[in-house]
Amino acid sequence: MKIKKYWWVLILIQLTLLVVIINGKFAVSNDRPSLVYREDFREIPAALPITQEHISHEYLMLNLYGSAKESLKKSHHENIVNDPYYLWSGRCSSNWAATFSHRQFLVDLRGVAKIRWRTKQSGFRRLHILLKLEDGTWLVSDRTQGASEDWKIGEFNLMDLEWYALSMETITEREKVSSVDLSRVDEIGITDLMRGGSSSASSRLDWIEVYGKPVERFNS
């Protein structure tokens, strides 16, 4: 009888440990980043250049870079059915970049953080993710969204990407960065590292979503 009693105690202990392990796994898997923000440009007439007026999110700032930044266009065609309102690089005479920054907080993009967007590239254009860290470091992703005949939704897991330093004077990539800290990201955006070539050689961004964790700004 004592042996049977001890066996039941051992089984109870094992079941308890199993429950703890399972609950721990669920806790980790459920600790996923949420949607920090989505920018889908306002449905107002096309304009050159695109400005803050075209940003739909109340707390997002639009930042444009490069000597051709005044040529980044907010585009839309009334004669095309379901044509979105989007950022277009076709008029840029040199390399360009565009980013978004939240007025109230930075973004933690560690772990399983991700970025989603709807884009359409043409020619040899490949759209890269662009990050500015709180300390002023600029990074550009190795992976890209390539050309397509129609609008395409892309999704990037940040932990899968490799990063290169970026010269903001010329908007060109530099050396590969072996270790990055994405715990405090200030600006998140796009570049194709190329000049525009009208409709046949350009990049387009319809909307962008950032999944991560908001982080308080020290100076706020």
Side-chain angles (χ1 to χ4, degrees):
M1 294 296 293
K2 289 185 179 180
I3 295 176
K4 290 184 178 180
K5 181 179 179 180
Y6 291 143
W7 272 110
W8 279 110
V9 172
L10 290 174
I11 291 174
L12 181 60
I13 292 173
Q14 290 175 341
L15 289 174
T16 302
L17 289 174
L18 182 61
V19 170
V20 170
I21 293 172
I22 292 175
N23 286 339
K25 288 184 177 180
F26 278 125
V28 171
S29 63
N30 287 334
D31 185 24
R32 302 187 64 83
S34 59
L35 177 63
V36 178
Y37 61 75
R38 171 188 170 104
E39 177 52 40
D40 195 348
F41 301 106
R42 293 178 61 198
E43 296 185 0
I44 56 178
L48 181 71
I50 188 171
T51 66
Q52 185 65 34
E53 180 185 11
H54 300 276
I55 301 302
S56 62
H57 195 294
E58 179 182 4
Y59 295 106
L60 280 189
M61 289 286 294
L62 174 67
N63 312 289
L64 304 180
Y65 297 96
S67 59
K69 64 183 181 181
E70 297 299 320
S71 297
L72 282 168
K73 183 179 180 180
K74 155 67 178 309
S75 192
H76 173 73
H77 302 89
E78 294 288 349
N79 60 325
I80 299 178
V81 178
N82 295 325
D83 192 51
Y85 294 76
Y86 59 95
L87 183 151
W88 179 58
S89 70
R91 290 177 175 264
C92 293
S93 59
S94 60
N95 291 13
W96 59 274
T99 68
F100 305 98
S101 55
H102 201 283
R103 300 176 191 270
Q104 296 183 322
F105 50 74
L106 304 172
V107 183
D108 184 347
L109 291 179
R110 292 175 299 176
V112 291
K114 67 176 61 178
I115 290 176
R116 300 179 71 246
W117 59 29
R118 186 172 186 253
T119 69
K120 185 170 75 167
Q121 278 61 254
S122 56
F124 294 148
R125 302 305 178 273
R126 302 290 183 268
L127 202 61
H128 299 256
I129 296 172
L130 180 63
L131 302 180
K132 180 186 179 184
L133 308 186
E134 184 184 34
D135 64 5
T137 299
W138 286 94
L139 302 171
V140 63
S141 66
D142 63 330
R143 298 192 188 183
T144 63
Q145 186 81 42
S148 61
E149 293 298 323
D150 197 6
W151 293 95
K152 185 176 182 179
I153 295 176
E155 180 174 305
F156 297 84
N157 295 322
L158 275 291
M159 65 191 309
D160 293 337
L161 305 183
E162 294 185 341
W163 301 95
Y164 287 76
L166 187 72
S167 167
M168 293 307 291
E169 294 181 1
T170 56
I171 319 293
T172 53
E173 76 279 11
R174 297 169 57 193
E175 68 278 2
K176 184 177 179 180
V177 180
S178 59
S179 178
V180 297
D181 179 4
L182 301 184
S183 61
R184 299 182 64 83
V185 179
D186 188 8
E187 299 180 28
I188 300 168
I190 59 170
T191 181
D192 58 19
L193 301 176
M194 298 180 73
R195 59 183 293 174
S198 193
S199 295
S200 61
S202 59
S203 292
R204 303 166 181 83
L205 175 71
D206 177 15
W207 54 257
I208 184 170
E209 294 177 343
V210 175
Y211 291 81
K213 297 177 182 178
V215 181
E216 183 179 359
R217 292 182 179 273
F218 290 145
N219 59 356
S220 61

